[in-house]
């Protein structure tokens, strides 16, 4: 692990140009421009270069700029051979500049090479490059030893702090990318959950209203086949029409439920049991229920009564709504199916996913749903936190 650390490149994300803000990029560009102007002024203002020396100095300055740009890019792209080769070239140019009396240019090259090496190169070559650059400055400098020590120490500290800043920006950038990915996954999961919820609502509404219509229409067909009195057949058709109207009303209620608009559960069950000729009893102190819990109770009651119509026509049905301290329960019981009731193919209608949908709805809320035979009939018990 230690060996890997000394050869590990700094965070690529922290070195990318778009990792910096626009003001920071502008300040960086202005700083480089000011540095270039300062170096040019320091090199040519003293008048030490005349004639061909000026041409040589300009060529050396251009070479230094070109090598520096290539070195920075190669280090940012993490290309080892090119980075180390250009770093060695910059050291040579700095010594040539110092020999040609362009002392400011030489010092700037040594300073910049040491700092950028500590920022952009792996720790082992960074330390070697910084040591070579600062050692060259120390050997060529005519300043006092105290000034040299202060300069070398300050540059080393600056490079180390900038490296930490680069790593921190890279880490922040990676965390931001992970957070965005997590938010995208969360949004997709929420969309899928909402689609599942809408699918359950559509199933519940259609299963309740259409199966009720199917009961009466199938009975009317059987009556017609048996030659039953026309008035009785008409009553079945009128009942199917009424169920279609009720289905439209339930569809509107489902749309309101999806928008979070609910009628009280107690009122809904009173209307539902009145239409289905079922008995309703309420125990406990009625109270407003959370939206999802109330919707689960409504849909379970609808699905249970729909199953009674389909599988046990003519059976007596009773609903009991219990308000518990930390939950609400709905129990639906039906007796044996009545004799002589026309069933036809009703038991085969529907998708067969009603009971599964009710159980899934309850489990999503942290509740339970039990369904099974009960004294010759059927019992459904829903319990959800509320």
């Amino acid at each position: 692990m230690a060996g890997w650390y000394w050869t590990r490149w700094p965070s690529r994300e922290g070195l990318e140009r778009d990792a910096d803000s626009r003001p920071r990029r502008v300040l960086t560009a202005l700083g480089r421009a000011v540095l270039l102007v300062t170096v040019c002024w320091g090199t040519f203002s003293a008048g030490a270069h005349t004639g061909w020396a000026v041409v040589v100095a300009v060529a050396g300055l251009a070479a230094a700029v070109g090598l520096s740009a290539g070195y920075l890019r190669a280090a940012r792209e993490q290309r080892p051979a090119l980075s180390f080769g250009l770093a060695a070239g910059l050291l040579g140019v700095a010594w040539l500049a110092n020999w040609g009396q362009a002392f400011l240019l030489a010092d700037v090259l040594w300073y910049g090479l040491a700092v950028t090496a500590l920022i952009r190169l792996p720790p082992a070559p960074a330390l070697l490059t910084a040591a070579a650059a600062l050692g060259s400055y120390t050997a060529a400098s005519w300043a006092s030893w105290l000034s040299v020590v202060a300069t070398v120490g300050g540059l080393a500290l600056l490079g180390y702090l900038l490296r930490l800043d680069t790593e921190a920006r890279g880490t922040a950038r990676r965390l931001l990318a992970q957070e965005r990915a997590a938010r995208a996954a969360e949004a997709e999961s929420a969309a899928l959950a909402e689609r599942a919820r809408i699918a359950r609502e559509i199933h519940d509404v259609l299963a309740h209203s259409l199966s009720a219509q199917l009961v009466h229409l199938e009975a009317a067909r059987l009556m017609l086949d048996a030659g039953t009195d026309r008035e009785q057949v008409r009553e079945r058709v009128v009942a199917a029409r009424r169920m279609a109207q009720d289905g439209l009303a339930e569809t509107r209620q489902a749309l309101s439920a999806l928008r979070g608009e609910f009628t009280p559960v107690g009122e809904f069950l009173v209307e539902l049991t009145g239409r289905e000729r079922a008995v309703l009893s309420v125990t406990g102190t009625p109270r407003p229920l959370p939206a999802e819990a109330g919707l689960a109770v409504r849909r379970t009651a609808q699905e249970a009564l729909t199953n009674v119509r389909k599988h046990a026509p003519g059976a007596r049905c009773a609903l009991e709504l219990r308000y518990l301290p930390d939950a609400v329960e709905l129990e639906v019981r039906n007796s044996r199916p009545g004799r002589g009731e026309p069933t036809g193919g009703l038991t085969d209608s529907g998708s067969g996913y009603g009971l599964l949908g009710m159980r899934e709805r309850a489990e999503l809320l942290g509740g339970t749903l039990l369904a099974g035979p009960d004294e010759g009939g059927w019992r459904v018990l829903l319990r959800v936190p509320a």
Side-chain angles (χ1 to χ4, degrees):
M1 181 64 69
W4 175 80
Y5 168 78
W6 288 104
T7 58
R8 179 175 63 88
W9 287 82
S11 171
R12 184 185 291 271
E13 291 85 354
L15 295 175
E16 291 178 355
R17 291 181 178 178
D18 56 352
D20 296 332
S21 61
R22 181 178 179 84
R24 184 164 185 158
R25 292 197 298 270
V26 171
L27 289 176
T28 300
L30 288 177
R32 291 176 179 177
V34 170
L35 179 61
L36 180 61
V37 171
T38 302
V39 170
C40 292
W41 178 262
T43 302
F44 299 107
S45 62
H49 302 85
T50 58
W52 284 103
V54 174
V55 177
V56 174
V58 171
L61 184 60
V65 172
L67 287 173
S68 298
Y71 163 72
L72 293 175
R73 181 170 182 174
R76 185 175 62 249
E77 296 175 354
Q78 299 182 354
R79 301 168 64 180
L82 186 58
S83 299
F84 304 152
L86 291 174
L90 283 173
L91 280 174
V93 170
W95 274 109
L96 290 175
N98 186 78
W99 176 74
Q101 299 183 7
F103 302 117
L104 181 58
L105 175 59
D107 290 345
V108 168
L109 288 177
W110 284 325
Y111 298 162
L113 183 59
V115 172
T116 55
L118 292 174
I119 297 174
R120 296 173 178 256
L121 298 182
L127 291 176
L128 292 176
T129 304
L134 296 178
S136 299
Y137 162 74
T138 302
S141 177
W142 294 92
S144 65
W145 66 270
L146 184 60
S147 176
V148 171
V149 170
T151 301
V152 170
L155 290 172
L157 180 61
L158 176 63
Y160 175 71
L161 293 177
L162 291 177
R163 185 185 185 93
L164 293 181
D165 178 67
T166 299
E167 293 287 355
R169 284 188 288 127
T171 301
R173 188 174 177 81
R174 287 194 299 273
L175 291 177
L176 179 61
Q178 293 174 3
E179 181 180 0
R180 288 175 178 173
R183 287 182 178 179
E186 182 179 354
E188 182 178 0
S189 176
L192 292 175
E194 184 64 15
R195 291 175 187 173
R197 178 191 175 195
I198 293 173
R200 287 195 301 270
E201 296 304 317
I202 293 175
H203 168 269
D204 293 341
V205 170
L206 293 180
H208 178 67
S209 62
L210 295 182
S211 64
Q213 297 174 52
L214 184 60
V215 168
H216 293 287
L217 292 176
E218 180 69 12
R221 183 186 69 81
L222 294 175
M223 288 179 178
L224 287 174
D225 292 342
T228 308
D229 182 68
R230 179 179 177 182
E231 186 63 25
Q232 295 181 7
V233 176
R234 182 178 180 277
E235 290 179 359
R236 290 291 185 174
V237 174
V238 170
R241 178 178 179 273
R242 185 175 63 253
M243 289 297 177
Q245 293 174 337
D246 293 341
L248 290 176
E250 290 181 11
T251 301
R252 296 190 187 98
Q253 291 177 358
L255 293 176
S256 298
L258 290 174
R259 292 193 297 265
E261 303 169 2
F262 294 96
T263 57
V265 172
E267 295 181 12
F268 174 81
L269 293 181
V270 169
E271 295 176 1
L272 180 64
T273 53
R275 293 196 305 266
E276 301 293 340
R277 299 179 182 178
V279 179
L280 173 66
S281 61
V282 179
T283 59
T285 303
R287 63 179 184 275
L289 300 178
E292 290 295 337
L295 188 59
V297 171
R298 293 157 63 104
R299 294 301 178 232
T300 300
Q302 285 181 317
E303 185 69 29
L305 292 179
T306 296
N307 289 337
V308 172
R309 283 199 308 269
K310 290 167 55 177
H311 303 289
R316 295 187 303 274
C317 189
L319 282 76
E320 183 177 1
L321 180 64
R322 308 186 190 104
Y323 289 95
L324 305 178
D326 58 348
V328 62
E329 285 186 351
L330 175 68
E331 186 176 25
V332 183
R333 291 176 179 267
N334 65 272
S335 63
R336 296 177 182 272
R339 294 182 178 180
E341 289 291 333
T343 59
L346 294 179
T347 56
D348 297 328
S349 65
S351 63
Y353 293 110
L355 184 60
L356 178 61
M358 289 191 293
R359 182 172 289 110
E360 288 179 350
R361 185 189 293 274
E363 291 175 352
L364 286 174
L365 299 177
T368 58
L369 185 137
L370 303 176
D374 179 65
E375 299 179 357
W378 194 263
R379 173 178 177 263
V380 175
L381 177 62
L382 169 73
R383 180 188 176 95
V384 290

